[in-house]
Structures are given as C-alpha cells and as structure tokens.
Amino acid sequence: MNETKPTKESFSQFVSRVAGFAAGISVLVILLDMPEVQPLAWSVLQYAVTLWVCIVGIPSGARLLWKHKLHVIKGAVIIHEAFGQRKLGQLNQLWTWKTGQKPEQAALPATHEVGAVMSVCLPPIDQQNGKEVQNGAVKGSLPMATGPFALLPLNPRPQPSSTLSKEFASEKIFNAIQLAGLKMEEPPEVLAIDSGPTLQTISFKLPAGLQLSQLIKKRDDLANHLGYDQGFSVTSSSFPSAAAFVIPHDKRAFVYLSDMIAELQAFAKSAQLPLVYGKDMEGKPLLVDLAKLPHLLVAGATGSGKSVFINDLLASLTTLRSPKEVRLLLIDPKMVEFTIYAGLPHLITPPVADPKRAALALRKMVVEMEKRYECFSKVGARNILHYNRKHPEELLPHMVCVIDEYADLMLVAGGDVEDAVQRLTQLGRAAGLHIIMGTQRPSTDVVTGVIKANLPSRVAFQLKSVYDFRTVMDCSGPHLLGGGDGVSMLNGGKLIRFQSAAISADDEEMTQFIEQLIEYWKEWEAKHHAPPVEPAKSQAIVEEDEPEPEEPAETEGEEPRDVDEWTAADDSEELPQELYARAVQVARSHGGVSGTVLQQKLGVDYLTAANLIQRMSDEGKLSQEFDFEKKMRLWLDDSPRSSDEELLERMKKNICEKRSARSSELQQALGIRKEKVLQLMGVLVEEGFLLSPESLKSGYIPAWDEEQMEAYLSEKYEV
C-alpha cells in the first residue's frame, strides 16, 4: 500500500503557526493575571501580531485585492458617487445650462434598419466622465448635458447586481438540466454571458444528444431548479449548436433617460421624432423614430410600466423638439397621468379627460389632416417633410396624439373614436399626424382588427393573460417581469425584449422635472418671440358650440395655418336644412348610417358628416350606440317613443314574436341603450313575463309558454 507523501509546510504557514502559538500563550498568561510575567506577555503578544501582519497578513491581502480588483474598483466608484459625485454632477449640469454653453458635437452613431424603422443600439456610456466605453477602453468624449437635458435626474443605480461567472453558470446549468431529467455528461462550455439592466443571457454549447426543443419543453422544470419562477426563458443562441438561458438579475438596474443623453442627441440629427424606448437585453440603448413607425400601440396591465413608458416617450420628444416642431394632443380618460403636463407650450389644448370631448378632438385632427392634404396638392408636395423643405419659412409642425386609456374611450364613444382613429392611422403619416395609443385591456372588442392592421408597431408589457399578449403581438412571447420589462415590435418585424426607460423612479423627481421642463420652454418661447398657446383659446379644439372671437390678421412670416387658428376654427354653424334632409333620406334608405357613407353619398368633409350624424342621433332618428357588426348607427323608426309603457309593449311583442329575450337583440330592435333594456326587462320580471337569469351567461327566459304568447299577439295585434 502506497503511503501519501506529506505536503511541505510553507514559510507563511510556519510563521502563522509560531506567531499563533506565542500569541496564545501570551493571552493565557494575561488572562491568568500573573503580575510577575504579565509585562513580558504583553511584549510577546505585540511582537507576534506585528510579525504575522508584516510577513503573512499584508502579502495575503494584497494578493486577494489583486485577484478581485474589478469588484474593488467598482465598489470604490459607487462609494465615491454616494458621497458627493452625484450632487456635484447635477450642479455642473445646471451651471452649464444657466451659462448657455454649447455642447460639443458628437459623432453620428451607426444605425440599423429594423422593420423599416430607424433604430440604434449603442455601447454604454461611462456615467462618471461622459465617455464611450468599448471593450474596457475609453474612446472619445461625448457632449455634456445642456438645455432641458440638464434638468433630468441622474440614475442612482445604473448597474445591476453582479453577473454570474462562467464557471458558476456552467455548474448551475449542469445541475438544473440533470434535475430536469435530461442527459448531460459534464458541465457545458459557456460561450458568452451578455448582461443587460434586467436580464443576463447565458449562451452554452449543447452536448451531443441534447436538443434545444427538449430544453424548451422542460422550461418550467428548469426554472424551478434554477430558482426563477418568473422571467426565465430558453431561447436559441447566435452560436452554432448552442442554446441560451435568459435569467433575471437578483437586483435589476434602473434605466433613466439621463443615461442616454449623448446617444439621443446624436440620433436626433437623423430622426424627425426621436424617442427613447430603453435598453435591450445587452444593455444597449434602443432608440426609434416615431415618424417611421408611424403610430404605436402600447399595452400593459396595472404596474407593468405602461404609463411610465409613455411619460418617457413624451419627455424624450419634448426635450429635443420645440413647440414649433411638435404639437401634442393628450387624452387622459383616467384624469391622473397627463394633468402634470398642463401649461406645456407643446400642447394644442390642455389634457382632455372627457371621452365625448376627446372624440370631438380626434375629429378635429381628421379635419386638420384633410386640410393638409389639400395644401400639399396645391403646392405639389408629397408629404410634410417635402412640404417643409420647399417652404422653410412656413414650417408645419408634426402633431402627436397620445391616448392613455383607449378602452375607456371605446366604452363611451366607440363608433366615433374608432372611425377617427382608423382614418388617422391610415392616412396620418404623410400629413405628419401620429398616434400613440395605450390600453390596459387589449381585448378584441377594444383593439379591433381594423385598428391593429394600421398599427404594425406595438409594445407589450406584462399582461393579465397570454391571450391578451397574442391579441397585441399576434404570437406568444416571453414571461415578462413587470416594472418596465417589455417586448417591442417595429413595423411588424421581430420581437425585441427591452427594459423601458423612465424619467425617474421617484414620482416627485419626475414631477419636478416636468415642471422645470415647462418653465424652460416658456422661457424659450419668450426668447424667440413665439406667442404661447393660451388655454382659453386652445380649448376650442374640444368646444363645439362656443363661438370664438375674431383672430387678428396673419402677419408676415407666420405659419399659413397656425395651430391656434386650427383649434379656433368655427364648426358651430348651423347645417343647411337641405343637406340635413338629404342625410336623413340616406340614413333611412340604408337602415342606418356612418360618417364614411355620408361622405361618399353627399360629398361632404369628415367633420360635417360627423355633425349630421350627431344631430340625427340627438333627434332620436339614429341609435345612440354604434353597431360594430354593421359598422354604423342604426336607423330608428320615426314614431314617438316617449313612455316606458310603450317600450314595454314593444319589448313584449318582440319577445313573443321571436320567442327569445336576448338583450342584444332587444337593444337593436328598440334602438335604446343596453342599460335601459336591462331596466325594462327587470320590470317584466316583476310582472311575471320573464324569469330572472340563473347566471350571468344564461340570460333572461320568457315565463310564458307558446300558447300564452300566441294569445297575447292575437289579442293585442290580431296576428
């Protein structure tokens, strides 16, 4: 039997053993309180500790620091920021803005075409010195934050928790795959670990006999063994014969708009309406041009980050483009998100909260679109970009309509809203009109097929069900984490997962920035002698019946159709009686009518058609509700329906004739609101004509049998 050869003791181990023995004896003597040898014991203890620190402690500590030098440097930088660098940076930025110093010019970054949308993914920026970092080396200098960018809050946590090492990741993947019941002989070779603000993607070599499809089928088991119930996914890798695990960070990084100032300024040189989405899975800024989308659908449940994302889009747009370049129409049925923007000079009108006024505002946008196309045809321009190049002294601004909750608008004024949105999304791009539409409930009755067909660019955050995600993206997607973790599709292209940017994670900081931004643009308007939009005048976009005072004549050098003039357009003129009579005849002959039908039959513009429909609806000739199946408001007969007694009789007759008590059929037959139908059906239940529904899905059932119904029809109507 071979004996193992003892290992040779090192010099450090020898010194540690001798010093430890001497220190132990000295401490024992001191504790026993022997006065005659206690001074000697203190001296021996001092020499033993000093000897060990000089020969063993300092060299070992130096080797340890050198081994973990990157973590030490990162920690020192974080401590340095925490104790003054952040405040110093804010003071420097504010000083630069106040003194009016101009930023240095940054080189235009390389761009990529993604689904015909100009997007850019740039390397990260060193937040300490404003320089570009590539492969660990600092390259060039980037412009300092000036103007409204100097007001942006700085990011307190720009980096996520530490990324997994290749050795640890390989062992973790090996254990999870074995526990999931799949065959793997040894830990896999980790090819790359790409770390972003929220996720880290671990690419590893697949061994022989193990396929990517097997890993995808075992996704839930792998997530369980890895310890990630949400956010984990299995996907393909850019390496051949490899797979990738997407694992969330234990503590994700914040993504602030201030992190991407330099990239956004450089991108804005080639983009008409530059927007910041956030950072992709590799931590690169994701920037897009709204003019090339040209509209956007944003869906997300409560807490998913939808409203924060929309606020980020507004902030990135209004920090770069002046009120002469971009005008905004903000529609906020919830009355909580856009109220802080009141007073911003970019606004056409104060944020609109009433759904009916919002429908009128969308109609006015359609009218403006038609006026612009007439103007383009007169001067021979193809689109707004071509027109502005030919008429630099009379620039037309882009107009962006932002709707925070589209579902609420559809509930109150579905027909009018859908018709206006459809026309704007179909024809608005060339005229410079764009829509950003947000919704919490992307059901098929809200986001209809017609609307989706004209919104190929979409963003989805965490939703309540996979069916909602399929409604938005037309395909399945990853398990999203919430809090800004989203998926983007640009002009029908591939899905891009990203972490959305925010102005600030602190609501107070965000509100303070928007207030300072409003003050900045008001000072800009005063400096450039641009009269601000007065709320009283801009209110005209949603007021239909109040006549406006006469505006002063246009002075030389002003826009040919200023936004104020557009909002103050007088649409309150009475409709000609002959035109109204023709509209009534068209509605009666078609059994109903829509704005498109009236435009085709009468040759009127969109707003006139909408006013004709509204008048017929107010007079009781058309139903108040829009029939989405027939795409029109249904025609009601001209007989008066003044009392509930007559409605009850008509309801009884209809039920007896059709042997059915469906509320939808009764609503269509009577031309009244669903709430009124349900109220009357409750009265019939009390009279014993109907039976109360056993469940919400079963509905009302006639209590009379067929003989009673036939007798009722024979007696009342001699049928």
Side-chain angles (χ1 to χ4, degrees), residues 62-82:
R63 287 195 297 271
L64 187 64
L65 289 175
W66 180 255
K67 182 178 179 180
H68 301 283
K69 56 184 179 295
L70 295 179
H71 296 287
V72 173
I73 294 172
K74 185 185 296 184
V77 169
I78 293 174
I79 293 173
H80 182 55
E81 283 183 347

Side-chain angles (χ1 to χ4, degrees), residues 199 219 229-233 246-248 479-481 485 497:
L199 307 164
R219 182 260 165 201
D229 58 337
Q230 287 185 336
F232 172 78
S233 62
V246 179
I247 297 176
H479 295 260
L480 300 176
L481 293 168
D485 183 23
R497 191 169 180 179

Side-chain angles (χ1 to χ4, degrees), residues 294-295 421-422 425-427 449-458:
H295 313 287
V421 169
Q422 179 182 345
T425 53
Q426 286 176 338
L427 305 171
V450 176
I451 296 297
K452 267 182 27 176
N454 296 294
L455 291 170
S457 300
R458 305 163 198 166

Side-chain angles (χ1 to χ4, degrees), residues 637-655 666 669-672 676 680 683-684 687 712 716-717:
D637 58 24
D638 298 322
S639 60
R641 300 175 304 279
S642 57
S643 64
D644 288 350
E645 289 78 9
E646 184 174 354
L647 289 174
L648 287 170
E649 287 298 324
R650 294 178 60 202
M651 185 177 289
K652 283 184 178 181
K653 178 185 177 184
N654 189 280
I655 293 173
L666 293 172
L670 301 179
I672 57 179
K676 186 66 174 178
L680 296 175
V683 175
L684 294 180
E687 293 180 359
Y712 172 81
K716 289 283 186 180
Y717 303 100

Side-chain angles (χ1 to χ4, degrees), residues 302-303 306-308 310-311 314 330-342 350-355 402-405 408 440 507-508 510-511 514:
T302 302
K306 172 181 66 68
S307 296
V308 173
I310 291 177
N311 280 311
L314 289 172
L330 305 183
I331 299 176
D332 181 15
K334 295 187 296 186
M335 296 181 288
V336 293
E337 290 298 334
F338 294 154
T339 54
I340 55 177
Y341 292 95
V352 182
D354 180 48
V402 186
I403 305 173
D404 184 57
E405 186 46 68
D408 290 351
Q440 292 182 4
D507 288 341
E508 186 176 347
M510 184 191 73
T511 304
I514 294 174

